Structures are given as C-alpha cells and as structure tokens.
Amino acid sequence: MFRVTRRYHFASSHRLHSPELSEEENQKIYGKCNNPYGHGHDYVLDVSACGPLDSAAGRVLDTRLMDDLVERLVLHPFDHRNLNTEVQWFMPVVPTSENLGREICRRLKHNWNSTFPDEWPRLEKVRIEETPRNIFEVRADEIE
Ligand code: NI
C-alpha cells in the first residue's frame, strides 16, 4: 500500500463569527479573528490518496485526475473568495479551518467515485495549513 499526497494552494478571506453567540461571546472566543471586516489566509491544502501500485504504470493514481477534481470542487469555488459571503455552504457555518477541512473532505469523498470508480485509489485525508502553526487534518473515513 502506498500513500500519495498532492499539494494545492488557495487564498480566501473569512470572519470567525457564530450567529448562535452574542457579540461579546464571539469577541471572547475568536478575538481578532472576529473583526467585522475579516482577514485572509494563504491556505495550503494537502490531499492524500492511498492504494496499491498499478502494475503497468507503477503509480497509485493519475495525479492529473485528482487535480481536476480538486480544481472543480475546491479551488474554483474557494480561491479568492470570502468564505462567509461568497460560498453558499459557509453562509450558515463558521468558516473555521475545522469546518473548511471537513467540507473539502466531504466534497472530495462524495465525488471521488466519479473520477476513481475502482476499489483503489481511495481518498485518505485532507490536511489544511491555515498558518505554519495551525494545521488541521480530516480523515475521509471519519466523516459522513
Ligand atoms: Ni482566520
């Protein structure tokens, strides 16, 4: 079994603010990330797949196919967008990197078979670096 990780980059802005909490609570929990006009991140996204080697090609997967999937489901809708106001799914959801990672992993998992219909390769996990010190991982088999 081999694991292959491919790295992508996108930039988005967001504001951490929960409509379920008061202004004071939001300020207390999210601090400067709650500033009304938001702020941006240069996200680093690692998508990992696993599987046996294809005996003829000597590869786990055609990375160009994964690129197309990530471009369509993640980079195109998220890059240079405000996650709170421009990405429909986040409008009722706080765009923390936990939620961002879960949504990216969910999108890839639910559409994976359209690109990779065989038993292998499988989507293993998604890893997001929001900053060099804030890193989030979501495993495909641990989400719905
Ligand atoms: Ni932030």
Side-chain angles (χ1 to χ4, degrees):
M1 189 68 71
F2 289 80
R3 286 173 178 79
V4 177
T5 299
R6 197 140 162 90
R7 178 160 289 182
Y8 305 92
H9 299 268
F10 65 96
S12 305
S13 60
H14 70 174
R15 178 196 186 199
L16 299 185
H17 183 89
S18 172
E20 294 170 34
L21 302 171
S22 70
E23 293 293 331
E24 291 80 31
E25 285 171 318
N26 270 292
Q27 188 59 48
K28 191 171 158 217
I29 290 172
Y30 298 122
K32 63 184 181 180
C33 296
N34 184 242
N35 284 347
Y37 299 106
H39 60 276
H41 293 284
D42 289 316
Y43 292 99
V44 179
L45 169 65
D46 290 340
V47 179
S48 300
C50 61
L53 290 192
D54 177 274
S55 56
R59 300 198 306 183
V60 171
L61 81 168
D62 183 342
T63 50
R64 289 169 301 182
L65 296 178
M66 190 154 91
D67 290 353
D68 291 344
L69 199 60
V70 173
E71 170 64 34
R72 181 162 58 85
L73 298 171
V74 181
L75 304 182
H76 178 72
F78 292 174
D79 190 31
H80 286 75
R81 299 288 177 187
N82 180 297
L83 297 175
N84 303 75
T85 59
E86 291 185 275
V87 179
Q88 190 80 33
W89 187 84
F90 279 112
M91 288 175 188
V93 176
V94 189
T96 58
S97 288
E98 290 90 331
N99 279 328
L100 184 59
R102 182 176 58 176
E103 176 60 7
I104 290 171
C105 197
R106 193 189 66 79
R107 289 180 181 210
L108 293 174
K109 181 178 179 175
H110 287 205
N111 293 279
W112 190 258
N113 283 351
S114 65
T115 298
F116 301 105
D118 300 330
E119 187 187 1
W120 305 103
R122 289 183 190 163
L123 176 66
E124 182 169 81
K125 69 176 182 183
V126 160
R127 177 183 183 274
I128 293 182
E129 263 185 55
E130 182 188 66
T131 71
R133 297 180 67 197
N134 288 338
I135 295 159
F136 304 83
E137 286 193 13
V138 183
R139 296 185 55 90
D141 59 7
E142 292 176 353
I143 61 162
E144 289 176 11

